[in-house]
Amino acid sequence: MKQNNPGERRKQLAVTLLRVSTDRQFQEGESIETQRRKVDFVALRENLDIVRYFTEHYSGQKSDRRVIDELFDFLKSNVDLRYVIIGDIDRFTRGGSEIYLQLKRRLRELNVALLDSTGVIQPERNRLEHLNVEYDWAIESPSRYAEVFMA
């Protein structure tokens, strides 16, 4: 029987979103399998357990994305999930910066962080952490401008 080592860090849980919009992408380039290898590498590097892969064959520019709705429903019903891993920001959305920031806000409300395989997205930080207080306006993302540009 394996005993837990007190110094051992418990793996955190994650889900992924893999998306292609065309049949050509599905078969080559940013295929689902290519994206899956990228997110699996991120999970391994960050010591995360992926509990579900959400796969979407749909345009990221559309606002009525059933798989995104399923993803958020799953996150709401599984409060232990802490991360959504994507290959690239354009696989998360192609709806522009406003839609991207709206989706990130929804994730933050669920206490879920977004990770990408390219390393563009950096962890958010609380500018008032040294005072042991937190306000929405004090949370900043050092990569916000890069993320918005990519979205």
Side-chain angles (χ1 to χ4, degrees), residues 42-61:
V42 172
L44 181 65
R45 181 185 70 211
E46 299 295 326
N47 196 33
L48 303 173
D49 273 335
I50 297 174
V51 298
R52 184 164 170 192
Y53 293 84
F54 287 86
T55 304
E56 184 176 37
H57 189 145
Y58 198 65
S59 172
Q61 290 181 324

Side-chain angles (χ1 to χ4, degrees), residues 54-69:
F54 287 86
T55 304
E56 184 176 37
H57 189 145
Y58 198 65
S59 172
Q61 290 181 324
K62 307 240 183 206
S63 60
D64 63 331
R65 293 173 58 196
R66 181 184 52 80
V67 173
I68 285 286
D69 293 338

Side-chain angles (χ1 to χ4, degrees), residues 23-127:
D23 289 335
R24 184 175 175 193
Q25 280 180 337
F26 193 79
Q27 296 169 359
E28 55 188 67
E30 281 297 310
S31 70
I32 294 295
E33 188 53 40
T34 300
Q35 292 176 55
R36 187 177 178 123
R37 283 193 300 269
K38 287 180 177 182
V39 299
D40 285 347
F41 178 77
V42 172
L44 181 65
R45 181 185 70 211
E46 299 295 326
N47 196 33
L48 303 173
D49 273 335
I50 297 174
V51 298
R52 184 164 170 192
Y53 293 84
F54 287 86
T55 304
E56 184 176 37
H57 189 145
Y58 198 65
S59 172
Q61 290 181 324
K62 307 240 183 206
S63 60
D64 63 331
R65 293 173 58 196
R66 181 184 52 80
V67 173
I68 285 286
D69 293 338
E70 288 176 16
L71 171 82
F72 277 97
D73 288 343
F74 190 76
L75 292 171
K76 287 176 191 170
S77 64
N78 293 278
V79 296
D80 290 337
L81 290 167
R82 291 290 168 248
Y83 296 94
V84 171
I85 309 171
I86 56 175
D88 298 288
I89 290 173
D90 69 349
R91 299 296 89 206
F92 189 47
T93 182
R94 297 284 287 186
S97 59
E98 287 299 317
I99 299 296
Y100 174 75
L101 292 173
Q102 178 186 30
L103 290 171
K104 272 202 72 177
R105 263 191 305 277
R106 287 178 66 191
L107 289 174
R108 187 181 321 112
E109 289 169 3
L110 296 171
N111 198 26
V112 174
L114 185 64
L115 296 175
D116 68 316
S117 68
T118 58
V120 170
I121 302 169
Q122 299 300 308
E124 293 180 336
R125 59 182 174 221
N126 176 6
R127 290 181 288 168

Side-chain angles (χ1 to χ4, degrees), residues 130-146:
H130 63 288
L131 299 173
N132 291 324
V133 295
E134 183 176 305
Y135 297 99
D136 285 342
W137 55 264
I139 304 300
E140 67 179 0
S141 172
S143 57
R144 179 183 169 93
Y145 294 112

